[in-house]
């Protein structure tokens, strides 16, 4: 898929901007705090209906105005799709083909994008919450069913945690309602866990190939899904549901004592294993960065495999964080495959040699120069 046109109205420091992109590599060059990352944020938001930098919609709106609009034209194999997303203090509105969507979940998946920023290099060594967020964001684009089940699970989890706290402090006494919430939570939790397990198996296939290539055949990468259930390729959703429900039922007093849900996908993690060792605990910084790079690049092929379309690739000032070898693998991996948006303060010699005819935009104070192909 290709984002051929983007229009921003009162978004961040862009008051009114229309830009046409090349189907290949689009380079956004400028000094810091000029609006490069804001541009990628707009594309990401147009894809997932949310920013990767803030949960507060008000921050996305130019301070002089009450609403902000992002719209674009997406070229897919099935045809041309206009998209529009409006942010206000009251919430968001999304349109596909000029028709407002009753639920945002029906909008997500119209434009798929993978963001790779310096903080993504912390995917391996960072907290488990980062890896759970990674799974939810990426898998939701590939499966509307996953998006729905994960959303329902989060809603029920908040309700169950609130009720557990009320039972803990004697504000409620009825454990029957807790049983109902446990049953519903286990049903959606099982769907999320099995989907994550299956998606990670597919992701490992692509990531292991890339990792082996980047490490010059010296390292083998494996992705282990760490969950409280015992899983295998034969495990069904029904089995996972029964196992998760059993955990809730057999530990009900302990969870009431804790005042929170101690089991489920909100406790899960990914272990990245390189040559049989957990690279998070025992790997060098170079191995950790190679692993993160392999996993992020593997998303490109996984998304194509799952959706039939290549996603957009958003690279936010990531070249400056990679050495020459990893830069080379990154730049050659997406060349002539996916539409790419790359922000940088300047193109180094490696990038200039490897990027084929980039369309370069210079950004200064929220304005863009006319893109020129080099």
């Amino acid at each position: 898929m290709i984002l051929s046109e983007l229009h921003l109205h009162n978004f961040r420091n862009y008051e009114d901007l229309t830009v046409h992109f090349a189907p290949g590599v689009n380079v956004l060059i400028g000094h810091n705090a000029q609006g490069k990352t804001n541009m990628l944020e707009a594309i990401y938001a147009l894809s997932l209906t949310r920013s990767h930098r803030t949960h507060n919609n008000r921050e996305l709106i130019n301070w002089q105005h009450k609403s902000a609009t992002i719209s674009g034209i997406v070229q897919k194999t099935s045809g041309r799709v206009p998209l529009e997303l409006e942010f206000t203090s009251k919430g968001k509105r999304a349109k596909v083909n000029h028709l407002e969507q009753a639920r945002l979940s029906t909008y997500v998946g119209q434009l798929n994008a993978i963001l790779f920023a310096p903080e993504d290099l912390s995917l391996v060594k960072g907290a488990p919450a980062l890896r759970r967020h990674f799974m939810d964001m990426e898998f939701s684009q590939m499966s509307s069913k996953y998006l729905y089940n994960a959303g329902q699970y989060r809603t029920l989890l908040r309700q169950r945690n609130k009720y557990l706290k009320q039972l803990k402090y004697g504000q409620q006494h009825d454990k029957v309602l807790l049983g109902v919430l446990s049953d519903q939570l286990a049903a959606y939790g099982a769907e999320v866990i099995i989907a994550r397990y299956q998606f990670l198996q597919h992701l490992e296939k692509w990531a292991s190939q890339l990792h082996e290539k980047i490490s010059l055949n010296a390292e083998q990468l494996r992705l282990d899904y760490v969950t409280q259930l015992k899983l295998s390729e034969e495990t069904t959703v029904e089995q996972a549901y029964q196992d998760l429900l059993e955990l809730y039922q057999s530990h009900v007093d302990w969870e009431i004592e804790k005042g929170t849900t101690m089991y489920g996908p909100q406790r899960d993690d990914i272990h990245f294993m390189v040559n049989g060792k957990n690279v998070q605990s025992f790997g060098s910084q170079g191995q950790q960065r190679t692993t993160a790079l392999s996993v992020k690049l593997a998303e490109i092929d996984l998304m194509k495999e799952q959706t039939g379309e290549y996603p957009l690739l958003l690279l936010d000032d990531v070249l400056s964080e990679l050495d020459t070898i990893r830069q080379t693998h990154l730049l050659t991996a997406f060349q002539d495959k996916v539409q790419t948006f790359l922000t940088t303060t300047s193109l180094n010699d490696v990038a200039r040699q490897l990027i084929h005819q980039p369309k370069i935009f210079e950004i200064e104070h929220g304005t863009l120069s006319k893109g020129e192909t080099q």
Side-chain angles (χ1 to χ4, degrees):
M1 62 180 60
I2 301 295
L3 180 64
S4 60
E5 180 181 317
L6 180 71
H7 179 70
L8 305 180
H9 185 66
N10 297 329
F11 180 85
R12 293 282 193 182
N13 64 333
Y14 293 99
E15 292 185 5
D16 194 67
L17 174 73
T18 298
V19 56
H20 296 85
F21 295 118
V25 181
N26 298 272
V27 180
L28 309 174
I29 293 182
H31 296 298
N32 292 329
Q34 300 301 305
K36 303 188 305 296
T37 297
N38 292 349
M39 179 70 70
L40 292 198
E41 181 183 32
I43 298 172
Y44 186 87
L46 190 63
S47 169
L48 281 160
T49 76
R50 55 175 292 179
S51 165
H52 65 288
R53 301 158 75 192
T54 179
H55 295 291
N56 185 354
N57 290 340
R58 181 61 210 155
E59 294 181 21
L60 305 179
I61 304 170
N62 187 290
W63 67 276
Q64 296 177 315
H65 301 276
K66 296 182 179 180
S67 66
T69 304
I70 309 169
S71 58
I73 303 297
V74 181
Q75 305 290 345
K76 305 170 75 169
T77 54
S78 58
R80 177 179 180 273
V81 183
L83 300 178
E84 182 178 316
L85 191 62
E86 182 184 21
F87 294 92
T88 69
S89 58
K90 297 180 180 179
K92 293 173 278 194
R93 292 196 306 168
K95 294 181 181 180
V96 178
N97 279 323
H98 310 292
L99 298 175
E100 186 168 347
Q101 304 299 294
R103 297 189 305 273
L104 293 177
S105 59
T106 62
Y107 174 95
V108 175
Q110 299 294 330
L111 172 65
N112 293 330
I114 294 171
L115 173 69
F116 192 13
E119 54 266 28
D120 289 308
L121 294 169
S122 300
L123 178 66
V124 175
K125 64 180 180 180
L130 287 175
R131 292 179 284 279
R132 290 192 291 269
H133 179 75
F134 161 76
M135 288 188 284
D136 285 344
M137 288 299 97
E138 309 312 330
F139 300 161
S140 289
Q141 293 188 74
M142 302 179 206
S143 168
S144 58
K145 181 180 179 182
Y146 182 92
L147 176 64
Y148 175 78
N149 287 329
Q152 293 295 109
Y153 183 85
R154 285 191 293 270
T155 299
L156 285 164
L157 181 64
R158 287 192 294 269
Q159 294 174 0
R160 189 174 189 269
N161 284 342
K162 180 179 179 180
Y163 198 72
L164 283 169
K165 285 184 174 64
Q166 291 173 339
L167 289 170
K168 176 181 179 178
Y169 294 112
Q171 297 167 341
Q172 295 287 350
H173 303 279
D174 182 8
K175 291 185 180 180
V176 174
L177 177 57
L178 180 63
V180 173
L181 290 171
S182 299
D183 183 81
Q184 295 175 335
L185 193 67
Y188 287 110
E191 293 279 4
V192 171
I193 288 171
I194 294 299
R196 284 179 177 178
Y197 179 76
Q198 293 173 345
F199 273 127
L200 283 173
Q201 285 186 308
H202 290 289
L203 184 63
E204 180 187 75
K205 176 185 69 175
W206 295 107
S208 61
Q209 296 173 14
L210 286 162
H211 192 96
E212 187 174 0
K213 183 178 179 181
I214 297 173
S215 67
L216 302 178
N217 301 319
E219 297 175 354
Q220 295 288 327
L221 173 65
R222 190 178 78 242
L223 309 185
D224 286 351
Y225 181 36
V226 183
T227 182
Q228 295 151 317
L229 305 185
K230 293 181 180 179
L231 300 179
S232 70
E233 293 184 7
E234 288 74 36
T235 305
T236 64
V237 172
E238 176 62 26
Q239 289 173 311
Y241 157 71
Q242 294 292 346
D243 291 345
L244 191 54
L245 185 59
E246 170 62 25
L247 286 173
Y248 293 145
Q249 292 173 341
S250 59
H251 295 85
V252 61
D253 293 334
W254 184 47
E255 289 193 318
I256 292 174
E257 179 185 338
K258 292 292 184 179
T260 191
T261 302
M262 302 301 295
Y263 299 94
Q266 80 282 3
R267 302 280 175 176
D268 293 348
D269 199 358
I270 308 172
H271 283 174
F272 300 98
M273 310 299 291
V274 173
N275 291 345
K277 294 182 178 180
N278 188 335
V279 72
Q280 180 182 14
S281 302
F282 303 104
S284 66
Q285 185 182 62
Q287 286 177 317
Q288 291 173 348
R289 290 194 164 207
T290 297
T291 299
L293 180 59
S294 300
V295 170
K296 293 300 292 186
L297 290 177
E299 290 182 74
I300 296 173
D301 291 301
L302 176 61
M303 205 165 284
K304 174 65 163 62
E305 178 184 78
Q306 296 294 321
T307 69
E309 299 265 9
Y310 278 116
L312 276 57
L313 179 61
L314 314 178
L315 303 174
D316 190 12
D317 200 27
V318 76
L319 292 182
S320 61
E321 300 293 325
L322 300 173
D323 59 26
T324 300
I325 293 176
R326 292 179 181 85
Q327 279 188 38
T328 300
H329 281 287
L330 171 62
L331 294 172
T332 54
F334 64 72
Q335 204 65 247
D336 303 322
K337 180 184 288 187
V338 297
Q339 186 184 27
T340 303
F341 300 84
L342 185 156
T343 69
T344 182
T345 53
S346 64
L347 279 179
N348 60 26
D349 291 339
V350 174
R352 289 188 180 279
Q353 291 174 12
L354 293 177
I355 299 177
H356 303 157
Q357 297 184 318
K359 189 171 185 179
I360 297 180
F361 300 87
E362 292 187 5
I363 299 182
E364 185 175 1
H365 301 304
T367 60
L368 265 70
S369 67
K370 185 177 180 181
E372 296 182 358
T373 303
Q374 298 189 2

